[in-house]
Amino acid sequence: MGAAKKIHVRLKKSSIRSTKIQKANLLGLGLTKTHKKVVLEDTASTRGMIKKVIHLLEVKPHDGQEKKIEKKNQVEIKEGKAPVKKEKATAKAKVSKKTTAKAPQKKATKKTTKKVTKKTAKKAAKKK
C-alpha cells in the first residue's frame, strides 16, 4: 500500500458567528482555536468537512516534514548527567510581615445607624 496523502489545515478566522454544524465540523477536524494548525489525511470525509468551513480555513498540501514544537519546561538531557528540568526565574521579592499585615477595618455600622436615625427624625418632625 502507498502512503496516504496528507493536507495541512489552519484555522485563520474565529468560529464565533458560525452555525452549530460548522462548529461541529471544526471540532471534528481538530481545530479548536484560531491559528491552530493540523495535519489531516486527505480523504473524502475530511474534504467534505473542509468544504463546509472553507471560508474559515487555510488549506495547503502537506510536504511530509513534521515540525517539532518545543514546550515550556522541557527536560534537557546532557551527556553524563541526570536529566535537569528547566525552570523559569521568578522575580518575586520577599514581602516583609509589616507590609502583609491587614489594615484595621472601619466600622460602618455606627455611621449607617446615625444616617437612619437622622432620616427617621426628619420624618417624625414632618408628621408632627
Side-chain angles (χ1 to χ4, degrees), residues 3-53:
K5 293 183 181 179
K6 294 189 177 187
I7 52 175
H8 190 85
V9 182
R10 181 177 76 95
L11 183 61
K12 66 179 181 178
K13 290 186 180 179
S14 175
S15 64
I16 289 175
R17 297 211 18 132
S18 301
T19 62
K20 289 181 181 179
I21 295 170
Q22 289 174 339
K23 288 180 183 181
N25 280 331
L26 289 173
L27 189 62
L29 292 170
L31 300 168
T32 54
K33 296 182 180 181
T34 54
H35 305 292
K36 185 172 180 179
K37 300 173 185 176
V38 179
V39 177
L40 301 168
E41 289 186 24
D42 191 9
T43 61
S45 60
T46 56
R47 284 280 176 176
M49 293 171 76
I50 290 170
K51 186 178 177 182
K52 296 288 183 180
V53 289

Side-chain angles (χ1 to χ4, degrees), residues 118-128:
K118 287 180 183 178
K119 288 180 182 178
T120 53
K122 288 180 183 178
K123 287 181 182 179
K126 287 182 181 180
K127 289 182 180 179
K128 291 183 182 178

